Amino acid sequence: MGRDVSVFGGLVRGAIGGAVGTWLMDQVTTGLMDQSSDADKEMEAAARPNGQSSTMNLVDLATGRLGLELDEAQRSTAATAAHWALGIVPAALYGALRSRIPGLGIGNGVAFGALLFAANDEYLNAALGLAGPPEAYPASTHFRGLVGHVALGMTVDTVCDLLGG
């Protein structure tokens, strides 16, 4: 982590790490979701505004504000793109800043992943109306989100190291 990495180089390394990390996070969270009880799955589904994922609600919010209309296939593609962007963009910033801000890389990406989980899943999604309030979800949902984001953070940090930064 002590290497002198250009901001651009860090952005690129972080973005690559974010793509790999988002893929891995999806694998981890899908596996954990498969292990959730039916009661937890029902509670989680009931907590979702409009009966949709937070990324689909984000797409609806953005298209509504922009005055755009998307068909179902376009909405699905936009939600997938938003999901990937929510992993890649913060990871690119992390890659650019981890050698410049003391303590940012604590735990080889664990702190980054946990912070991303807290900011996005536990605060912003509910504050923007993209998800229900945190207390509406079962503990397994929070655990799955935290573990998934920590996996993302550690992957981003590892990829940045492997790519020389």
Side-chain angles (χ1 to χ4, degrees):
M1 218 166 63
R3 292 187 179 155
D4 185 23
V5 177
S6 73
V7 172
F8 181 75
L11 284 169
V12 170
R13 288 175 181 91
I16 293 168
V20 175
T22 299
W23 176 85
L24 181 62
M25 180 179 73
D26 289 347
Q27 305 312 303
V28 169
T29 57
T30 298
L32 289 172
M33 179 64 141
D34 290 345
Q35 302 303 311
S36 293
S37 71
D38 289 342
D40 280 2
K41 289 176 185 175
E42 289 172 16
M43 186 176 178
E44 183 173 331
R48 291 179 168 180
N50 308 310
Q52 306 182 127
S53 70
S54 59
T55 53
M56 190 61 79
N57 285 322
L58 176 61
V59 168
D60 290 347
L61 177 68
T63 56
R65 295 231 172 126
L66 295 171
L68 301 173
E69 288 191 32
L70 303 178
D71 64 31
E72 285 305 310
Q74 292 168 324
R75 286 178 72 240
S76 179
T77 299
T80 299
H83 170 71
W84 282 86
L86 288 168
I88 293 170
V89 171
L93 295 172
Y94 175 80
L97 299 174
R98 75 184 189 126
S99 66
R100 289 170 171 74
I101 298 175
L104 186 60
I106 290 174
N108 296 65
V110 171
F112 167 65
L115 179 63
L116 197 56
F117 162 74
N120 189 44
D121 286 20
E122 296 297 299
Y123 177 71
L124 285 173
N125 280 339
L128 296 172
L130 306 176
E135 62 273 11
Y137 293 87
S140 64
T141 301
H142 301 284
F143 176 77
R144 183 176 72 244
L146 177 61
V147 170
H149 282 87
V150 166
L152 174 119
M154 292 176 69
T155 302
V156 172
D157 195 80
T158 300
V159 168
C160 285
D161 281 345
L162 290 173
L163 295 177

